[in-house]
Amino acid sequence: PRRRHTNDRETALIISQLENGELTFEKLYEWNIGVELGFISNRILFEAEYYKRKSKDLLGTVSTNAVGGDAIKFGNIGELDADGIELSLNTVNIKNDAFKWSSSFNISISDNTITKWDSNERIEDMTNRSGGNIAGYPRGALFSIPFAGLNEEGIPTFYDDKGEKVIHVNLQDREDILDYLKYEGPVTPTTFGGFNNTFTYKNFKLNTGISFRYGNKIRLDDFYRNTTFDDYSALPGDLRNRWVLAGDENISNVPSINTLLKENSYRSDGSFNPHDLYNRSDIRVAKGDFIRIKNVRLSYVLPRKLLPFDKIDNLSFTLSAHNLWLLYSDEKLRGVDPEFHQAGGISLPLTRTYTLSLNLKF
């Protein structure tokens, strides 16, 4: 209620959200099958599982004619088919009185396809960093506007639905957008896993872990912005290679900033300026694949005969390190951690940490 004072009568009521009686819960149907095998007195253990899922009544937003009071409302508009396989292998490679080496490897591979989606997505929806949904593609499918190079003024150009070079595209278009948009891939990884080893020699134990992920694409942070740059969104280093003089369009794909202000406005037909489109082009997409050394842990257990007090049953020292090295990632990320990229807010990226601990057992 809107009241100027607490003793005022109610003059108006505001409905924050209309009733949506057709909305229901999402439904998931799943079956899976698995197998476990052991060989050589279980020194080799193998597990495999296959699953298949069907999701119905997926929630999404849909544009309406607003006759009911809402122009955009939630609805059960989608169906999704998914399947995947999970594998793990654990082995004892070497084992004797003084030395033992064991390993474990796991991998998960998944795939999904939207079979129904009753919403007509815009180019803007399909090219944003979180991807869009459209039948025949995975959930969160990332598309791009095909980049066609710079023109003689350093302005980025793009291919339209006729294959012609243009500098303006209307991001609100919904019709036949897949005729010229480029499909990049899903924004979520399709494969991830890890490889771990444990080495034991007398009283020493060393654990190493490697993790990996691949199959997803990342929309890089906006290269150009309409607002001023600050500590959160600093000028990109690639501007050093920008178009400066006529002819640079033959050696550079980085637009000129001299034309940014001139072109930095919406057109009367609703199309966006080319620098905004450059952020949504295929040249601003990187692979999200990575391989990293996740952790290393070295421990030593002091022999019982060397314990300083009889009441101490066990004393051990442990040195551990996490997130040591990123062994592989796409060069287009320029050192930005793909696991952290676009985490949001002011979150800190994954840091390298070291821990030294002393454990006593009485």
Side-chain angles (χ1 to χ4, degrees):
R2 289 180 173 176
R3 301 183 184 182
R4 194 172 192 79
H5 305 288
T6 56
N7 59 350
D8 286 345
R9 298 180 61 185
E10 297 179 356
T11 58
L13 291 175
I14 298 176
I15 300 175
S16 62
Q17 188 172 2
L18 296 177
E19 183 266 350
N20 192 344
E22 298 178 354
L23 204 62
T24 185
F25 294 102
E26 294 184 338
K27 301 175 181 64
L28 174 64
Y29 305 89
E30 176 180 355
W31 67 267
N32 60 70
I33 185 172
V35 61
E36 298 181 7
L37 300 173
F39 305 94
I40 315 176
S41 300
N42 288 334
R43 289 186 60 171
I44 300 177
L45 293 174
F46 174 75
E47 297 181 11
E49 180 181 359
Y50 174 78
Y51 64 85
K52 193 170 184 65
R53 299 169 181 163
K54 187 173 185 63
S55 301
K56 292 187 175 182
D57 295 326
L58 294 178
L59 293 175
T61 58
V62 59
S63 299
T64 73
N65 57 14
V67 172
D70 273 338
I72 299 177
K73 62 186 296 184
F74 277 101
N76 301 102
I77 63 174
E79 296 183 1
L80 176 76
D81 287 344
D83 62 348
I85 186 170
E86 298 177 355
L87 306 173
S88 67
L89 178 65
N90 298 278
T91 62
V92 179
N93 306 310
I94 300 175
K95 184 179 181 180
N96 54 45
D97 294 338
F99 180 73
K100 180 182 177 181
W101 170 28
S102 59
S103 303
S104 66
F105 175 78
N106 66 86
I107 187 171
S108 176
I109 304 172
S110 61
D111 183 44
N112 69 82
T113 303
I114 292 179
T115 57
K116 175 185 176 183
W117 196 259
D118 295 330
S119 180
N120 198 7
E121 306 290 353
R122 304 168 298 173
I123 294 178
E124 184 175 6
D125 302 320
M126 304 305 294
T127 57
N128 65 35
R129 63 179 55 185
S130 59
N133 296 323
I134 193 167
Y137 292 90
R139 191 168 194 173
L142 182 63
F143 286 79
S144 292
I145 301 170
F147 179 65
L150 307 179
N151 66 11
E152 63 279 0
E153 297 182 46
I155 300 175
T157 64
F158 312 92
Y159 291 110
D160 64 6
D161 53 347
K162 300 177 182 178
E164 299 177 354
K165 290 184 179 182
V166 296
I167 62 174
H168 293 285
V169 174
N170 189 347
L171 295 182
Q172 305 306 314
D173 280 346
R174 301 174 184 269
E175 302 299 328
D176 302 322
I177 61 177
L178 297 186
D179 289 347
Y180 66 99
L181 288 184
K182 177 184 177 182
Y183 172 61
E184 304 286 358
V187 296
T188 56
T190 59
T191 305
F192 58 89
F195 180 53
N196 300 278
N197 286 278
T198 301
F199 305 90
T200 303
Y201 178 71
K202 295 184 178 179
N203 290 6
F204 289 93
K205 178 181 284 189
L206 175 65
N207 301 90
T208 62
I210 296 176
S211 62
F212 60 89
R213 187 181 75 182
Y214 65 89
N216 64 308
K217 293 298 180 68
I218 293 175
R219 171 76 63 199
L220 300 178
D221 289 329
D222 288 351
F223 195 80
Y224 289 94
R225 299 174 184 267
N226 294 336
T227 57
T228 58
F229 289 93
D230 51 29
D231 290 340
Y232 180 70
S233 57
L235 288 169
D238 281 347
L239 281 175
R240 293 173 299 182
N241 301 319
R242 68 185 183 276
W243 185 100
V244 177
L245 300 172
D248 286 350
E249 65 272 12
N250 299 318
I251 59 174
S252 175
N253 286 324
V254 182
S256 166
I257 60 176
N258 295 331
T259 57
L260 179 58
L261 293 178
K262 183 177 72 173
E263 296 293 340
N264 196 14
S265 61
Y266 301 116
R267 289 161 55 89
S268 58
D269 63 358
S271 59
F272 283 59
N273 77 78
H275 292 83
D276 286 329
L277 302 178
Y278 183 81
N279 295 328
R280 297 171 178 270
S281 68
D282 53 353
I283 203 170
R284 300 296 297 164
V285 174
K287 294 186 293 185
D289 309 350
F290 72 82
I291 303 174
R292 75 163 70 250
I293 297 180
K294 191 69 175 179
N295 57 73
V296 176
R297 186 172 184 268
L298 176 64
S299 60
Y300 173 73
V301 179
L302 198 67
R304 189 172 183 81
K305 63 181 179 180
L306 298 180
L307 294 177
F309 304 104
D310 294 337
K311 293 185 178 181
I312 298 178
D313 187 56
N314 181 279
L315 189 154
S316 63
F317 302 90
T318 302
L319 175 63
S320 58
H322 296 273
N323 301 316
L324 282 180
W325 294 288
L326 189 62
L327 299 179
Y328 167 77
S329 64
D330 194 338
E331 292 182 356
K332 294 182 71 173
L333 293 171
R334 298 199 178 274
V336 176
D337 194 325
E339 195 171 10
F340 165 76
H341 195 273
Q342 298 171 351
I346 55 174
S347 304
L348 293 175
L350 298 174
T351 57
R352 186 181 302 172
T353 61
Y354 301 91
T355 305
L356 178 62
S357 60
L358 171 66
N359 302 289
L360 291 172
K361 182 179 180 182
F362 297 94

